[in-house]
Amino acid sequence: MNALLEPVLDWYEANARDLPWRRPGASAWSVMVSEFMLQQTPVARVLPVFDQWMARWPTPEALAAEAPGEAVRTWGRLGYPRRALRLHAAAQAIVEHHGGVVPDDIDALRALPGVGDYTSAAIASFAYQQSHVVLDTNVRRVFARVAGGTAYPASAVSAVERRLGETLKPLERADRWAIAVMELGALVCTSTSPDCPRCPVRDICRWRALDYPAYDGPPRRGQTYAGTDRQVRGKLLAALRDHEGPVTIDVLDATWHEAAQRMRALDSLVADGLVELVGDDLYGLPT
DNA sequence: AAGACGTGGAT
DNA sequence: TATCCAAGTCT
């Protein structure tokens, strides 16, 4: 018996956001696109890019027919542009191996580029209403607090969490349960300022019962950014996105002062397939 | 199995 | 202003 089930499902019924990939009739492809875009990226920033993307490429086949550089360009400033490349490659794999239809088998999904444990479970659950344990950062935080009595989960998914996910997963409507817990984590049981008074399971929350003990685990990995290769890669790619065609090296030189780091970043972009050397000192997005 | 990998809004 | 961090994946 899962004491969380009904309160969380009822809360979701009343509080779920109206998002395009959740609407009735939303295609499996739209669910897949949304999941790629939402990896480490807030909903508010995904929405406009998602709309452009789906208008231009309403099917895997449409995207697969394009140059990967167009995917990278349309990705815009969502961040982690390798996701755009992987989504493009996944679309090509879907066309080549699955008849252009987003597969409904979780293992087939998991084999696609850019699709890991979370995304495969999410697509199978939300596009095909299957029953899977879906462990994203929201679900893991809710579990850690309600059941574990701690402020945050560990950095990596544990066997205990998977077991808990299996235990709590209802026989019916498992997909709705999954999205409901995710939504609760996203809107109420947030990382920094949880809104416990509005929480449907506050009365059975272990973390609350213990009076919110502070996180005492190992330091959570902080992301430095200023001055890193990541920042330089971002500037280089932004310059390439902002030009119609290939750019000369001097355009790229203007994006960062330190030559050694600039070259290292450019080389890594080429190695990742995000940038192509198209001529003598001429660079462009992949064709 | 830590660390790399973008970006911008919130605090 | 500095730090946090948002539906992870890959190596």
Side-chain angles (χ1 to χ4, degrees), chain A residues 41-66:
Chain A
T41 308
V43 166
R45 287 180 43 215
V46 164
L47 285 169
V49 182
F50 174 86
D51 287 341
Q52 291 178 40
W53 194 282
M54 293 307 298
R56 182 166 177 183
W57 301 307
T59 63
E61 186 178 8
L63 178 59
E66 285 272 11

Side-chain angles (χ1 to χ4, degrees), chain A residues 48-144:
Chain A
V49 182
F50 174 86
D51 287 341
Q52 291 178 40
W53 194 282
M54 293 307 298
R56 182 166 177 183
W57 301 307
T59 63
E61 186 178 8
L63 178 59
E66 285 272 11
E70 283 307 290
V72 173
R73 189 189 303 280
T74 302
W75 198 258
R77 307 187 68 78
L78 274 186
Y80 293 144
R82 290 191 291 198
R83 290 182 292 167
L85 228 42
R86 290 173 182 152
L87 182 52
H88 180 270
Q92 291 189 322
I94 288 170
V95 169
E96 185 169 353
H97 301 300
H98 303 288
V101 178
V102 175
D104 62 3
D105 177 74
I106 193 169
D107 294 318
L109 288 165
R110 182 68 176 77
L112 296 170
V115 178
D117 289 336
Y118 162 74
T119 301
S120 56
I123 296 172
S125 298
F126 307 144
Y128 296 113
Q129 290 73 51
Q130 292 175 19
S131 173
H132 298 283
V133 173
V134 180
L135 290 177
D136 80 324
T137 189
N138 291 303
V139 174
R140 296 188 62 221
R141 188 174 53 251
V142 171
F143 283 4

Side-chain angles (χ1 to χ4, degrees), chain A residues 110-197:
Chain A
R110 182 68 176 77
L112 296 170
V115 178
D117 289 336
Y118 162 74
T119 301
S120 56
I123 296 172
S125 298
F126 307 144
Y128 296 113
Q129 290 73 51
Q130 292 175 19
S131 173
H132 298 283
V133 173
V134 180
L135 290 177
D136 80 324
T137 189
N138 291 303
V139 174
R140 296 188 62 221
R141 188 174 53 251
V142 171
F143 283 4
R145 290 176 179 174
V146 176
T150 61
Y152 297 107
S155 60
V157 174
S158 69
V160 170
E161 285 177 285
R162 296 213 171 279
R163 199 169 309 122
L164 181 60
E166 292 287 359
T167 300
L168 296 179
K169 184 164 68 70
L171 265 41
E172 308 288 333
R173 299 184 299 174
D175 59 310
R176 192 163 173 87
W177 160 247
I179 196 62
V181 181
M182 286 176 64
E183 192 80 334
L184 183 64
L187 299 183
V188 173
C189 193
T190 60
S191 180
T192 305
S193 52
D195 191 1
C196 300

